[in-house]
Amino acid sequence: MTIPDQQPLLAALERLLRQRRNGVSEYELLAALRRDALLPGQSDVLTLFRAHFRLMNALYQLQPIFFREGLWLRIEPLRIALEAGAANQGDSGPKTARFPGTASSDAALAAWYLDWENYVHTGADEVVDLLSGFWRRYNGHEQRDAALAELELSADADWPAIQHRYRQLAAEHHPDRGGSATRFNRVRQAYESLRSAR
């Protein structure tokens, strides 16, 4: 597989981003680039991954170009936008304190998308695995949050706090002590869910 020519994509993206200074979603950018026939339409998971990869690669290539103009290209999952404020920072890149979006995880993400080996060597099976892993993590977080809410605990509760709160609620809602069987079962299921996820 050859690496696609990104120049037409870079020029179109630069124009779109300058026009939409309040920001745009990745979906909107992909749709606009497809209308201009700069990216293929979505036909399968691998084609979709490659369109996404090419877009992200182009955005990370444009980031230092905009920076030299005193603009910061913020690349977030739901919003991609040019922001003023990078002036007088030098050519070395934005300061983390001034631009919170430049954490080390963002640098690692940029490096991954700027490496064409990841484009060339990622096949359909790997894309499916990446997506499956994402949804497993997402659903796991969602289930944990719901279980903690059922136990009336915050998201940062540790295991001893979970055990303590479970004992309190189980005693309070146990049917043998006049509590609600439905509430007791929800508390027990939440606790079991958190215990099995440890």
Side-chain angles (χ1 to χ4, degrees):
M1 166 182 290
T2 60
I3 296 170
D5 177 18
Q6 286 286 86
Q7 287 308 313
L9 191 63
L10 287 166
L13 266 176
E14 182 177 358
R15 185 179 64 255
L16 284 166
L17 291 167
R18 289 184 191 281
Q19 291 170 352
R20 302 282 303 269
R21 291 297 290 268
N22 290 330
V24 61
S25 71
E26 178 182 0
Y27 175 81
E28 292 169 313
L29 283 177
L30 286 169
L33 295 168
R34 285 185 181 118
R35 276 193 304 275
D36 293 342
L38 293 169
L39 289 175
Q42 178 182 344
S43 60
D44 59 48
V45 70
L46 186 57
T47 303
L48 180 60
F49 165 78
R50 288 187 175 148
H52 164 79
F53 188 99
R54 288 187 59 202
L55 173 63
M56 298 305 285
N57 174 278
L59 289 169
Y60 284 115
Q61 285 186 59
L62 287 171
Q63 209 169 40
I65 294 168
F66 285 126
F67 184 78
R68 286 190 289 275
E69 295 178 25
L71 299 170
W72 175 242
L73 178 56
R74 184 171 299 280
I75 304 169
E76 295 176 345
L78 298 177
R79 183 173 169 267
I80 299 162
L82 282 175
E83 298 176 354
N88 302 321
Q89 299 272 338
D91 285 342
S92 62
K95 306 291 186 255
T96 302
R98 183 97 182 258
F99 297 100
T102 59
S104 61
S105 62
D106 292 338
L109 197 58
W112 193 84
Y113 281 112
L114 289 170
D115 184 351
W116 280 104
E117 292 295 314
N118 294 317
Y119 177 87
V120 172
H121 296 297
T122 301
D125 291 341
E126 290 167 298
V127 172
V128 170
D129 288 345
L130 286 169
L131 290 172
S132 296
F134 165 79
W135 285 114
R136 272 194 307 277
R137 288 188 303 278
Y138 178 81
N139 289 332
H141 287 296
E142 206 169 63
Q143 288 172 353
R144 177 178 166 77
D145 291 345
L148 288 169
E150 187 66 46
L151 296 177
E152 301 166 4
L153 290 168
S154 64
D156 61 351
D158 61 7
W159 183 243
I162 291 169
Q163 288 178 307
H164 178 73
R165 185 64 180 151
Y166 167 70
R167 285 189 211 103
Q168 285 178 326
L169 290 173
E172 180 182 335
H173 297 288
H174 199 284
D176 292 346
R177 296 184 178 179
S180 162
T182 303
R183 175 76 167 118
F184 175 78
N185 284 330
R186 287 198 326 254
V187 166
R188 187 176 49 77
Q189 287 171 351
Y191 175 75
E192 293 299 329
S193 168
L194 292 165
R195 187 172 71 170
S196 66
R198 282 184 72 206

